[in-house]
Tab-separated table of all heavy atoms in Angstrom:
chain	number	residue	atom	x	y	z
A	252	PRO	N	0.340	19.957	12.957
A	252	PRO	CA	0.659	19.028	11.855
A	252	PRO	C	2.143	18.841	11.613
A	252	PRO	O	2.561	17.874	10.946
A	252	PRO	CB	-0.028	19.634	10.640
A	252	PRO	CG	-1.130	20.464	11.244
A	252	PRO	CD	-0.571	21.011	12.503
A	253	LYS	N	2.989	19.722	12.101
A	253	LYS	CA	4.442	19.632	11.919
A	253	LYS	C	5.086	18.642	12.882
A	253	LYS	O	6.247	18.255	12.680
A	253	LYS	CB	5.073	21.016	12.062
A	253	LYS	CG	4.645	22.022	10.991
A	253	LYS	CD	5.350	23.354	11.213
A	253	LYS	CE	4.929	24.364	10.157
A	253	LYS	NZ	5.608	25.690	10.379
A	254	HIS	N	4.391	18.306	13.945
A	254	HIS	CA	4.941	17.391	14.935
A	254	HIS	C	4.702	15.929	14.571
A	254	HIS	O	3.967	15.641	13.628
A	254	HIS	CB	4.329	17.706	16.304
A	254	HIS	CG	4.781	18.981	16.910
A	254	HIS	ND1	4.270	20.210	16.539
A	254	HIS	CD2	5.722	19.234	17.841
A	254	HIS	CE1	4.850	21.170	17.237
A	254	HIS	NE2	5.750	20.597	18.023
A	255	ALA	N	5.337	15.017	15.307
A	255	ALA	CA	5.157	13.611	15.061
A	255	ALA	C	3.682	13.257	15.123
A	255	ALA	O	2.944	13.731	15.971
A	255	ALA	CB	5.956	12.831	16.129
A	256	LYS	N	3.267	12.416	14.214
A	256	LYS	CA	1.853	12.079	14.168
A	256	LYS	C	1.511	10.991	15.180
A	256	LYS	O	2.372	10.252	15.663
A	256	LYS	CB	1.429	11.600	12.773
A	256	LYS	CG	1.997	10.254	12.387
A	256	LYS	CD	1.424	9.833	11.002
A	256	LYS	CE	1.903	8.444	10.623
A	256	LYS	NZ	1.330	7.986	9.307
A	257	VAL	N	0.232	10.957	15.545
A	257	VAL	CA	-0.236	9.903	16.433
A	257	VAL	C	-0.365	8.584	15.651
A	257	VAL	O	-1.097	8.536	14.665
A	257	VAL	CB	-1.598	10.266	17.052
A	257	VAL	CG1	-2.125	9.144	17.918
A	257	VAL	CG2	-1.522	11.559	17.868
A	258	GLU	N	0.345	7.575	16.105
A	258	GLU	CA	0.267	6.278	15.428
A	258	GLU	C	-0.915	5.465	15.925
A	258	GLU	O	-1.403	4.633	15.165
A	258	GLU	CB	1.585	5.519	15.672
A	258	GLU	CG	2.819	6.181	15.101
A	258	GLU	CD	2.811	6.255	13.572
A	258	GLU	OE1	2.133	5.454	12.943
A	258	GLU	OE2	3.540	7.122	13.027
A	259	GLU	N	-1.359	5.726	17.115
A	259	GLU	CA	-2.435	4.968	17.713
A	259	GLU	C	-3.111	5.768	18.845
A	259	GLU	O	-2.393	6.368	19.641
A	259	GLU	CB	-1.968	3.644	18.281
A	259	GLU	CG	-3.022	2.795	18.967
A	259	GLU	CD	-2.439	1.588	19.664
A	259	GLU	OE1	-1.197	1.478	19.813
A	259	GLU	OE2	-3.252	0.749	20.156
A	260	PHE	N	-4.422	5.763	18.879
A	260	PHE	CA	-5.137	6.271	20.037
A	260	PHE	C	-5.416	5.101	20.935
A	260	PHE	O	-6.264	4.236	20.679
A	260	PHE	CB	-6.410	6.982	19.607
A	260	PHE	CG	-6.204	8.345	19.010
A	260	PHE	CD1	-6.367	8.553	17.667
A	260	PHE	CD2	-5.770	9.397	19.798
A	260	PHE	CE1	-6.126	9.801	17.094
A	260	PHE	CE2	-5.555	10.676	19.259
A	260	PHE	CZ	-5.740	10.868	17.886
A	261	VAL	N	-4.661	5.041	22.032
A	261	VAL	CA	-4.743	3.927	22.976
A	261	VAL	C	-6.024	4.056	23.761
A	261	VAL	O	-6.346	5.134	24.303
A	261	VAL	CB	-3.535	3.920	23.878
A	261	VAL	CG1	-3.576	2.741	24.868
A	261	VAL	CG2	-2.220	3.849	23.067
A	262	THR	N	-6.757	2.988	23.895
A	262	THR	CA	-8.114	3.033	24.548
A	262	THR	C	-7.949	3.091	26.059
A	262	THR	O	-6.938	2.683	26.641
A	262	THR	CB	-8.940	1.811	24.181
A	262	THR	OG1	-8.331	0.646	24.753
A	262	THR	CG2	-9.012	1.620	22.646
A	263	PRO	N	-9.000	3.609	26.755
A	263	PRO	CA	-8.970	3.587	28.223
A	263	PRO	C	-8.779	2.228	28.782
A	263	PRO	O	-8.091	2.064	29.822
A	263	PRO	CB	-10.353	4.186	28.566
A	263	PRO	CG	-10.704	5.072	27.391
A	263	PRO	CD	-10.173	4.340	26.204
A	264	LYS	N	-9.313	1.200	28.150
A	264	LYS	CA	-9.145	-0.163	28.629
A	264	LYS	C	-7.685	-0.599	28.562
A	264	LYS	O	-7.182	-1.238	29.474
A	264	LYS	CB	-10.050	-1.135	27.774
A	264	LYS	CG	-10.021	-2.572	28.293
A	264	LYS	CD	-10.980	-3.409	27.450
A	264	LYS	CE	-10.961	-4.872	27.951
A	264	LYS	NZ	-11.908	-5.725	27.191
A	265	GLN	N	-7.000	-0.222	27.488
A	265	GLN	CA	-5.581	-0.545	27.347
A	265	GLN	C	-4.751	0.181	28.418
A	265	GLN	O	-3.836	-0.379	28.988
A	265	GLN	CB	-5.097	-0.179	25.948
A	265	GLN	CG	-5.609	-1.115	24.871
A	265	GLN	CD	-5.242	-0.586	23.478
A	265	GLN	OE1	-5.739	0.469	23.038
A	265	GLN	NE2	-4.384	-1.321	22.764
A	266	PHE	N	-5.107	1.442	28.665
A	266	PHE	CA	-4.407	2.200	29.697
A	266	PHE	C	-4.608	1.556	31.083
A	266	PHE	O	-3.660	1.466	31.858
A	266	PHE	CB	-4.861	3.647	29.721
A	266	PHE	CG	-4.136	4.589	28.828
A	266	PHE	CD1	-4.665	5.013	27.636
A	266	PHE	CD2	-2.839	4.988	29.148
A	266	PHE	CE1	-3.956	5.874	26.754
A	266	PHE	CE2	-2.118	5.820	28.323
A	266	PHE	CZ	-2.700	6.258	27.122
A	267	ALA	N	-5.811	1.085	31.346
A	267	ALA	CA	-6.058	0.412	32.617
A	267	ALA	C	-5.271	-0.830	32.736
A	267	ALA	O	-4.740	-1.144	33.840
A	267	ALA	CB	-7.579	0.132	32.739
A	268	ALA	N	-5.105	-1.566	31.643
A	268	ALA	CA	-4.292	-2.772	31.687
A	268	ALA	C	-2.832	-2.458	31.962
A	268	ALA	O	-2.178	-3.147	32.774
A	268	ALA	CB	-4.432	-3.528	30.365
A	269	TYR	N	-2.299	-1.446	31.325
A	269	TYR	CA	-0.909	-1.020	31.595
A	269	TYR	C	-0.784	-0.613	33.074
A	269	TYR	O	0.230	-0.913	33.696
A	269	TYR	CB	-0.539	0.157	30.704
A	269	TYR	CG	-0.110	-0.250	29.307
A	269	TYR	CD1	-0.629	0.409	28.186
A	269	TYR	CD2	0.896	-1.196	29.107
A	269	TYR	CE1	-0.220	0.055	26.901
A	269	TYR	CE2	1.348	-1.545	27.828
A	269	TYR	CZ	0.775	-0.907	26.729
A	269	TYR	OH	1.209	-1.228	25.448
A	270	GLY	N	-1.764	0.095	33.589
A	270	GLY	CA	-1.723	0.528	34.966
A	270	GLY	C	-1.667	-0.686	35.929
A	270	GLY	O	-0.923	-0.634	36.904
A	271	SER	N	-2.467	-1.700	35.651
A	271	SER	CA	-2.455	-2.888	36.488
A	271	SER	C	-1.117	-3.579	36.514
A	271	SER	O	-0.625	-4.023	37.549
A	271	SER	CB	-3.548	-3.878	35.996
A	271	SER	OG	-4.842	-3.318	36.172
A	272	ILE	N	-0.499	-3.633	35.349
A	272	ILE	CA	0.818	-4.271	35.219
A	272	ILE	C	1.850	-3.456	36.016
A	272	ILE	O	2.701	-3.995	36.723
A	272	ILE	CB	1.231	-4.402	33.740
A	272	ILE	CG1	0.352	-5.443	33.054
A	272	ILE	CG2	2.717	-4.784	33.609
A	272	ILE	CD1	0.460	-5.425	31.553
A	273	ALA	N	1.792	-2.145	35.897
A	273	ALA	CA	2.737	-1.274	36.611
A	273	ALA	C	2.587	-1.455	38.129
A	273	ALA	O	3.607	-1.517	38.861
A	273	ALA	CB	2.532	0.204	36.235
Side-chain angles (χ1 to χ4, degrees):
K253 295 180 180 180
H254 289 79
K256 70 176 184 178
V257 177
E258 298 294 338
E259 177 189 9
F260 285 107
V261 181
T262 67
K264 185 176 180 180
Q265 289 172 294
F266 271 105
Y269 278 130
S271 296
I272 291 167

